[in-house]
Amino acid sequence: MTTASGSASRTSKRWAGTPLFLRIFLVMLASVAAVQLLNFALVVYVGPPTPRVYSMAQVVAALRRGRDTSGEILLSQEESVPRQNPDHGVRARAEIAAQMGVPLEQVRVSFGGPPPMMVRTLGMGRMAPMMPRGSPDARSQVLFGSFEVSVQQPDGHWRLARASRTGLENWRWRALLWLVVAMLVVAPFAWALARRLAKPIAIFAGAAERLGRDPRAAPVPIDGPAEIAEAAAAFNRMQARLNRYVEDRTTMMAAIAHDLRTPLMRLGLRLERAPEAIRAASAADIHDMQVMITAGLAFFRDATQAADRRRLDLRSLVESVTDDLTDHGEKVVLQDGDALVMEGDATGLKALLSNLIGNALKYAGDAEVTLARVDGHAVIEVRDHGPGIDPDDLEHVFEPFFRGERSRNRDTGGVGLGLASVRGVARAHGGDATIINHPDGGALATVTLPV
């Protein structure tokens, strides 16, 4: 048992390492072979159709009586019939005219197959050409296949006799059934081929989506055919390079900001011996620089540290932020709505909400928050009823250290990292953040997060 299991495992591994183009070729070849085997079985094991045979006497009797008790010949009355083809059914016309006792011009014969389709039967099931008119065996002559015989009546109308069925119906049903069986046999091969082709593409699509939401997501498993394994390895290398590139730049900026603290501290100590007027003005500038450095370090730290993502109720998180601000007397309103569960970093999302709502309160004095689920995304809207944003600044408000407030007062304008942090958190979750001027006045900030 162990040997058989080991052999199957080795076979599976060899198949997994087979190039993708060879897999497709083999599956298509197996599908074609299966169809051809079914066609061969159809030819060998299913007999050819047996045509329905009608005796000349049976057709003539039906034409004379105007009906056929067996129901195998259909009769109808027509005012006119198509002109007779001179080369079509010559012997059959002559025989029918002789048996009906009417002139040859009053008989029309046409066939669905290659004419003539009239033979005489011999012993042991053999066939021979039709006997000449007036021969002793004339009544043994037969018609088979699809035919139509018309005889003109004394009143000028034409009486038509045609075969009710050709005898091929059962054959057609069997062929159709065989076609259905062939499709059912080939369907698993086609399904396996489609799954083999679609699965690696789906894996890469999922990996790209995860990379957009979380650059530190787990690498793509290196498995499958050689082409897929090579592409997965290249994707993992690209993800690692992107992470190193972002981390190197962020670490460098954080190091610069951190190292600036030392010269600032020395500058502050030297100012202790400076005149009062110079010392007071310089101390204010040093304090502003320290605030900027502290904010920059916090921004870089948040951008580099790995987020702890878990399932959370986003509405409850929004309510905790708005309730806390309301308790402090701020004018914040959260519109009603249903719970919205998603996977995310609670700390980062809370900071995002605090920055958005805080900006609205700082510049407009009020904030109206809406949370809804739209097309598989959580949409957070924060609107204020203030003067809005200068249209020239809308494209720059999310840039680090950009301040729309021109007074350069840290108490009213801030450092300029709040909205940059908002967009960074949103994009780290695979979403985005935008801001526009509302048509009815004020600004409208929108954050979309995939659920």
Side-chain angles (χ1 to χ4, degrees):
M1 183 65 69
T2 304
T3 304
S5 177
S7 177
S9 177
R10 288 191 297 271
T11 303
S12 177
K13 289 181 179 179
R14 284 196 297 270
W15 173 252
T18 305
L20 184 61
F21 81 92
L22 185 57
R23 289 191 186 190
I24 298 174
F25 173 74
L26 292 177
V27 172
M28 293 181 64
L29 193 64
S31 301
V32 173
V35 173
Q36 293 302 323
L37 286 174
L38 287 171
N39 290 335
F40 178 76
L42 176 65
V43 173
V44 172
Y45 296 106
V46 178
T50 303
R52 178 63 182 171
V53 178
Y54 301 87
S55 67
M56 188 72 69
Q58 181 184 6
V59 176
V60 170
L63 287 170
R64 284 175 175 170
R65 292 194 300 265
R67 59 187 179 86
D68 179 55
T69 57
S70 65
E72 296 179 348
I73 299 177
L74 301 179
L75 291 106
S76 61
Q77 200 83 357
E78 303 288 344
E79 292 186 0
S80 62
V81 296
R83 184 178 299 274
Q84 176 69 50
N85 186 338
D87 299 327
H88 205 185
V90 177
R91 294 184 179 181
R93 289 179 62 206
E95 184 62 33
I96 293 173
Q99 292 191 34
M100 293 286 296
V102 297
L104 184 64
E105 294 78 11
Q106 296 182 7
V107 178
R108 300 283 190 272
V109 176
S110 62
F111 298 95
M117 296 185 71
M118 184 174 70
V119 297
R120 76 178 180 88
T121 58
L122 298 175
M124 302 300 290
R126 292 177 291 121
M127 297 287 188
M130 188 195 73
M131 297 290 292
R133 184 178 59 179
S135 69
D137 295 332
R139 292 184 179 274
S140 67
Q141 295 167 355
V142 297
L143 296 172
F144 66 92
S146 177
F147 66 89
E148 185 177 284
V149 178
S150 307
V151 177
Q152 191 175 29
Q153 303 300 302
D155 59 0
H157 288 80
W158 291 81
R159 181 173 292 170
L160 279 68
R162 62 173 63 89
S164 62
R165 53 193 176 93
T166 64
L168 299 177
E169 286 77 6
N170 291 334
W171 165 263
R172 290 169 180 164
W173 280 112
R174 288 196 299 270
L176 179 61
L177 179 61
W178 203 263
L179 175 63
V180 172
V181 171
M183 292 179 63
L184 293 177
V185 170
V186 175
F189 292 97
W191 177 265
L193 178 61
R195 291 281 293 178
R196 288 284 182 178
L197 289 175
K199 187 176 179 179
I201 299 174
I203 291 175
F204 275 104
E209 181 68 18
R210 288 194 302 273
L211 179 62
R213 296 186 183 185
D214 183 9
R216 298 177 182 82
V220 180
I222 301 178
D223 193 12
E227 296 90 343
I228 299 300
E230 183 178 352
F235 186 90
N236 292 336
R237 290 193 297 270
M238 177 195 70
Q239 181 179 354
R241 291 192 192 103
L242 288 175
N243 285 330
R244 285 197 302 269
Y245 175 72
V246 174
E247 289 174 0
D248 290 345
R249 290 191 60 187
T250 306
T251 302
M252 179 186 67
M253 295 298 295
I256 293 173
H258 183 272
D259 290 344
L260 283 175
R261 285 182 166 184
T262 301
L264 282 176
M265 182 181 65
R266 292 198 300 264
L267 186 60
L269 293 175
R270 293 193 184 100
L271 283 175
E272 294 294 332
R273 297 189 295 271
E276 179 63 28
I278 297 177
R279 186 170 65 249
S282 300
D285 290 338
I286 292 174
H287 178 266
D288 289 344
M289 293 181 67
Q290 288 176 339
V291 170
M292 292 182 65
I293 291 172
T294 302
L297 286 173
F299 178 76
F300 296 138
R301 183 177 60 251
D302 294 339
T304 55
Q305 69 181 10
D308 181 19
R309 299 194 178 184
R310 62 186 65 183
R311 292 185 65 80
L312 53 86
D313 184 354
L314 186 59
R315 178 164 292 277
S316 297
L317 190 66
V318 176
E319 287 176 351
S320 68
V321 176
T322 56
D323 290 346
D324 184 61
L325 291 170
T326 303
D327 292 341
H328 285 79
E330 302 290 353
K331 190 178 178 181
V332 182
V333 176
L334 173 61
Q335 301 295 336
D336 294 334
D338 298 329
L340 202 160
V341 179
M342 62 171 292
E343 185 176 298
D345 173 25
T347 303
L349 292 175
K350 193 169 185 178
L352 176 150
L353 293 166
S354 298
N355 279 319
L356 278 183
I357 300 174
N359 272 359
L361 293 173
K362 181 182 295 185
Y363 295 109
D366 72 297
E368 181 182 332
V369 184
T370 304
L371 174 63
R373 179 170 182 158
V374 180
D375 296 333
H377 286 75
V379 179
I380 306 171
E381 293 183 344
V382 179
R383 184 198 170 187
D384 62 55
H385 296 82
I389 303 174
D390 189 332
D392 295 335
D393 293 342
L394 288 175
E395 297 295 328
H396 307 286
V397 292
F398 289 102
E399 295 176 2
F401 300 107
F402 178 83
R403 298 171 65 239
E405 206 277 331
R406 306 301 185 183
S407 68
R408 315 309 297 174
N409 188 336
R410 303 297 178 198
D411 295 330
T412 59
V415 176
L417 290 175
L419 291 180
S421 176
V422 166
R423 175 168 280 183
V425 172
R427 289 182 173 176
H429 284 77
D432 206 352
T434 59
I435 190 166
I436 61 172
N437 285 319
H438 197 278
D440 297 331
L444 175 65
T446 304
V447 175
T448 57
L449 302 170
V451 177

